[in-house]
Amino acid sequence: MKNFLSFILFILLSSPVYSSDSTDTILAKLNDALRNKGHYVRLKEERIANFKKIKSEDLTKEQDYNYNKTLYTEYLKFNSDSAIFYVKKNLKIANELQNQELFNLANLQLVTLYSSSGKYRESEALLKNIDKNTLSRSLLQTYYVAYREFFEHYAANSYDIKYIQQIRQYRDSLVTVLDPNTLNYQITKIQQVMARKNFALAEKQLLQLFSTIKEDNSQYAMITYLLGSIYEAKHQLELRKKYYALSATSDIRNANKDNASLQELALVFYQVGDVDMAYKLTQSAIEDALYCNVQFRTLLMSEVYSIINTAYLEREAKRKTELQLYLLCISLLSAFLIVAVIYVYKQMKKVSRIRGELYETSQKLAELNKDITETNNQLQERNAQLSESNHIKEEYIAHFFSLCSTYINKLENYRIILNKKATAKQFDEIYKMLKSTTLVDNELEELYKNFDIIFLNLYPTFVKDFNALLIKEEQIILKQGELLNTELRIFALIRLGITDSVKIAAFLRYSLSTIYNYRTRARNKAAVSRNDFEEMVIKIGLISLKD
């Protein structure tokens, strides 16, 4: 039984341990971290600001050195310019103390900062001025780290296999001086295994570390990044995405601006075709690199950014084209809908007209029509006068159609009479009828009378409003029984939109010069501007319609 339990324990420890969260959950946390990136930066700045407040002026030089060293650590992956500032302060203190170990430590710290910001010559010069044989074991670790990172940064600017070999050489040297009980030693050893492409062993060791390390540990992002690198080499896309996302989320929450996870994750999303997410991650990575002034990261991102940015712009152009197509479809559908509404409206008007005719032929329908009319009257009392005016216009348009029909019937009767007389060869009678103007005069008189009645029903205050536009002594006074005179009819036609003097002359059967004289004389009598007179006539009745 004991051996069986030991076997089960061995299996559990040797089996890969993956993150319990799904990829979607991890990506949701990453998106949340990206949205709150500014918040994490503010927390970092507040922590640094609070630390700066506690500094005492009574610190010894050694204490001041440690104080600056703490600030350097805070700024190392946050703002390299500020980190350089505090390291240089420590160089000055080390010189004053004449402490070579403190001086070497500050120089080694400066090496990494210079190489990350692109000052390779200055960085290399500092390294060459340090005699590694004089360094303590702890400084020797920093020395190998500085050299390894120098070549990592330089390789980003000028890739050469010899730089990769140098990186491996200094990593191997670092392993010899690290404490085997430290996490840093274990991670460095795993990187050696990965360099030898033994990904199965490296994966197993990293997953064991991952199962024990907490998210707030400073090495959490490195472990998950290395796992992402392994799954990249093994072409396991989902696991690669998951662990790069975990690493990127940790970097963002810790306000670590010198990070590689966002760049790698952007490439993953680009490969799966999610250009929007790839572009968002690339933008964030570049912002971080510029904020921290990490030039080698900017160089690494430049090629990736150009590829993703091009794809993003192409996607946006495609989306714009699709949007234009959708807008065109919507416009066509809208036009179709408008046409359909107009058609339905016309059909409804037609049905309403037919219904009205049926009401006239049936007493029951007539009573129903009366009820509807009463209801409409109640609604008209509550509605604007515009609705009432439209109803009046429709009524009198129908009346005009009736008049036209009557005139056509009269002409038909007249034609029949003439035809009969022509058939009977009563040419003298025909000549007498054709010569007489009595019929035309009577019809004209009736036409003008009907016009006056209908127009004044539409615009009952027209005469009063027209007189208001004239000077007092020139205002028109109608004769007994007269609704409109010739001058008022001319401007009544203008009010109806007939402004062409030729058409007015034809309607009133006057010469063109007579119409022109009437219009000129009226403008001369105007109490308002002569140029605005006819325009104001056209506006008579509009105010009352709007009220």
Side-chain angles (χ1 to χ4, degrees), residues 204-222:
K204 178 181 176 181
Q205 292 173 345
L206 281 171
L207 287 172
Q208 287 175 348
L209 289 179
F210 179 74
S211 65
T212 59
I213 195 168
K214 295 182 179 179
E215 288 187 32
D216 58 356
N217 192 299
S218 59
Q219 295 286 20
Y220 180 87
M222 173 58 76

Side-chain angles (χ1 to χ4, degrees), residues 100-150:
Q100 188 63 36
E101 183 168 354
L102 295 182
F103 184 78
N104 287 335
L105 174 59
N107 273 321
L108 288 171
Q109 291 170 343
L110 201 56
V111 165
T112 301
L113 291 169
Y114 276 167
S115 63
S116 67
S117 58
K119 298 178 180 180
Y120 303 112
R121 290 185 179 179
E122 294 88 336
S123 182
E124 188 176 20
L126 288 172
L127 282 170
K128 288 181 177 180
N129 287 332
I130 297 173
D131 183 3
K132 75 172 185 177
N133 296 318
T134 63
L135 300 178
S136 63
R137 188 179 182 86
S138 62
L139 275 184
L140 201 57
Q141 295 174 18
T142 309
Y143 176 81
Y144 289 137
V145 170
Y147 248 119
R148 184 196 65 189
E149 292 187 351
F150 168 78

Side-chain angles (χ1 to χ4, degrees), residues 294-495:
V294 187
Q295 190 179 58
F296 86 99
R297 292 280 180 219
T298 308
L299 289 170
L300 288 172
M301 285 301 301
S302 59
E303 184 178 352
V304 175
Y305 178 75
S306 62
I307 295 170
I308 294 176
N309 187 52
T310 301
Y312 180 79
L313 293 176
E314 288 175 354
R315 174 69 61 84
E316 287 300 302
K318 183 179 178 181
R319 283 179 178 173
K320 185 177 179 181
T321 303
E322 291 175 350
L323 181 60
Q324 290 173 343
L325 180 61
Y326 294 150
L327 288 173
L328 177 61
C329 292
I330 290 170
S331 300
L332 291 174
L333 289 173
S334 299
F336 175 77
L337 180 61
I338 291 170
V339 171
V341 169
I342 293 172
Y343 176 76
V344 171
Y345 176 75
K346 287 184 176 180
Q347 290 300 313
M348 290 176 66
K349 293 285 288 182
K350 184 177 180 181
V351 169
S352 178
R353 178 176 57 79
I354 294 172
R355 187 177 295 165
E357 293 173 356
L358 291 174
Y359 289 158
E360 293 176 358
T361 59
S362 172
Q363 183 62 36
K364 185 177 178 179
L365 293 177
E367 292 175 358
L368 181 60
N369 184 53
K370 182 179 178 181
D371 293 339
I372 293 174
T373 302
E374 290 174 358
T375 304
N376 286 336
N377 289 335
Q378 292 174 1
L379 292 174
Q380 288 171 357
E381 290 174 0
R382 298 170 188 171
N383 291 336
Q385 292 184 5
L386 178 60
S387 175
E388 183 180 354
S389 175
N390 286 338
H391 179 72
I392 294 170
K393 288 180 182 179
E394 289 175 1
E395 181 181 344
Y396 283 98
I397 287 171
H399 185 64
F400 261 103
F401 278 124
S402 176
L403 287 176
C404 290
S405 177
T406 301
Y407 286 136
I408 291 170
N409 290 335
K410 287 182 179 180
L411 286 173
E412 178 64 17
N413 292 333
Y414 192 64
R415 183 190 67 78
I416 291 170
I417 293 170
L418 290 176
N419 185 52
K420 286 180 179 180
K421 290 187 180 296
T423 304
K425 297 184 180 181
Q426 297 174 350
F427 299 116
D428 291 338
E429 291 294 327
I430 293 172
Y431 176 73
K432 187 183 296 183
M433 289 176 68
L434 293 174
K435 187 176 180 181
S436 174
T437 61
T438 303
L439 178 63
V440 174
D441 293 340
N442 290 339
E443 294 301 328
L444 282 174
E445 183 179 352
E446 185 177 351
L447 173 64
Y448 294 150
K449 182 177 179 182
N450 281 323
F451 174 80
D452 294 350
I453 292 169
I454 293 170
F455 181 80
L456 289 176
N457 269 286
L458 292 175
Y459 304 101
T461 62
F462 179 78
V463 177
K464 177 183 175 183
D465 294 340
F466 183 79
N467 276 330
L469 299 176
L470 304 176
I471 57 178
K472 190 171 182 179
E473 55 271 19
E474 295 293 343
Q475 291 180 355
I476 297 172
I477 301 175
L478 294 170
K479 297 177 182 178
Q480 182 70 28
E482 193 175 35
L483 297 176
L484 296 175
N485 59 17
T486 301
E487 184 175 5
L488 287 171
R489 285 195 193 103
I490 291 170
F491 286 96
L493 290 169
I494 290 173
R495 173 61 188 85

Side-chain angles (χ1 to χ4, degrees), residues 47-304:
R47 185 170 70 248
I48 294 172
N50 289 333
F51 180 75
K52 288 179 179 179
K53 290 177 183 178
I54 65 173
K55 183 177 180 181
S56 171
E57 299 299 330
D58 299 328
L59 293 179
T60 64
K61 289 190 180 298
E62 288 82 358
Q63 290 171 333
D64 197 17
Y65 185 96
N66 289 328
Y67 177 84
N68 293 332
K69 182 181 174 183
T70 302
L71 286 171
Y72 152 78
T73 305
E74 289 288 338
Y75 280 118
L76 178 59
K77 292 185 178 296
F78 184 64
N79 189 318
S80 62
D81 292 336
S82 297
I84 289 170
F85 171 78
Y86 287 104
V87 171
K88 286 184 175 180
K89 288 183 73 172
N90 275 351
L91 281 173
K92 184 178 178 182
I93 293 171
N95 274 325
E96 292 173 356
L97 292 172
Q98 296 184 347
N99 188 322
Q100 188 63 36
E101 183 168 354
L102 295 182
F103 184 78
N104 287 335
L105 174 59
N107 273 321
L108 288 171
Q109 291 170 343
L110 201 56
V111 165
T112 301
L113 291 169
Y114 276 167
S115 63
S116 67
S117 58
K119 298 178 180 180
Y120 303 112
R121 290 185 179 179
E122 294 88 336
S123 182
E124 188 176 20
L126 288 172
L127 282 170
K128 288 181 177 180
N129 287 332
I130 297 173
D131 183 3
K132 75 172 185 177
N133 296 318
T134 63
L135 300 178
S136 63
R137 188 179 182 86
S138 62
L139 275 184
L140 201 57
Q141 295 174 18
T142 309
Y143 176 81
Y144 289 137
V145 170
Y147 248 119
R148 184 196 65 189
E149 292 187 351
F150 168 78
F151 283 110
E152 285 176 351
H153 299 163
Y154 198 75
N157 185 57
S158 178
Y159 181 81
D160 194 317
I161 189 64
K162 67 181 180 182
Y163 300 136
I164 305 301
Q165 293 170 350
Q166 292 281 8
I167 293 169
R168 291 176 180 174
Q169 176 185 335
Y170 283 104
R171 184 189 297 123
D172 294 342
S173 299
L174 177 61
V175 170
T176 62
V177 295
L178 285 172
D179 181 357
N181 297 318
T182 61
L183 182 59
N184 195 21
Y185 173 83
Q186 295 178 64
I187 292 173
T188 307
K189 285 288 289 182
I190 291 170
Q191 287 175 315
Q192 277 186 317
V193 174
M194 290 175 65
R196 293 194 292 269
K197 299 190 181 302
N198 189 349
F199 297 119
L201 178 59
E203 178 188 9
K204 178 181 176 181
Q205 292 173 345
L206 281 171
L207 287 172
Q208 287 175 348
L209 289 179
F210 179 74
S211 65
T212 59
I213 195 168
K214 295 182 179 179
E215 288 187 32
D216 58 356
N217 192 299
S218 59
Q219 295 286 20
Y220 180 87
M222 173 58 76
I223 291 171
T224 48
Y225 175 80
L226 292 175
L227 278 168
S229 301
I230 288 174
Y231 294 124
E232 181 178 355
K234 295 174 70 173
H235 306 292
Q236 293 179 258
L237 187 64
E238 281 303 309
L239 289 173
R240 174 186 170 194
K241 183 194 295 184
K242 176 184 289 188
Y243 285 99
Y244 277 148
L246 286 170
S247 179
T249 304
S250 177
D251 282 332
I252 292 169
R253 288 176 176 174
N254 291 318
N256 179 9
K257 299 294 185 179
D258 179 10
N259 62 73
S261 307
L262 282 174
Q263 174 186 338
E264 298 297 337
L265 193 58
L267 286 172
V268 174
F269 278 101
Y270 175 72
Q271 289 175 11
V272 299
D274 192 344
V275 179
D276 291 337
M277 188 63 176
Y279 181 79
K280 183 165 113 175
L281 294 170
T282 306
Q283 287 288 97
S284 182
I286 289 178
E287 287 172 7
D288 287 349
L290 294 174
Y291 185 94
C292 191
N293 191 25
V294 187
Q295 190 179 58
F296 86 99
R297 292 280 180 219
T298 308
L299 289 170
L300 288 172
M301 285 301 301
S302 59
E303 184 178 352
V304 175

Side-chain angles (χ1 to χ4, degrees), residues 474-524:
E474 295 293 343
Q475 291 180 355
I476 297 172
I477 301 175
L478 294 170
K479 297 177 182 178
Q480 182 70 28
E482 193 175 35
L483 297 176
L484 296 175
N485 59 17
T486 301
E487 184 175 5
L488 287 171
R489 285 195 193 103
I490 291 170
F491 286 96
L493 290 169
I494 290 173
R495 173 61 188 85
L496 293 174
I498 304 171
T499 58
D500 188 353
S501 294
V502 175
K503 292 182 180 179
I504 296 172
F507 180 77
L508 297 179
R509 304 179 70 83
Y510 285 106
S511 67
L512 184 60
S513 60
T514 301
I515 300 301
Y516 178 78
N517 290 336
Y518 268 115
R519 294 176 74 167
T520 304
R521 189 161 57 247
R523 282 197 297 270
N524 292 335

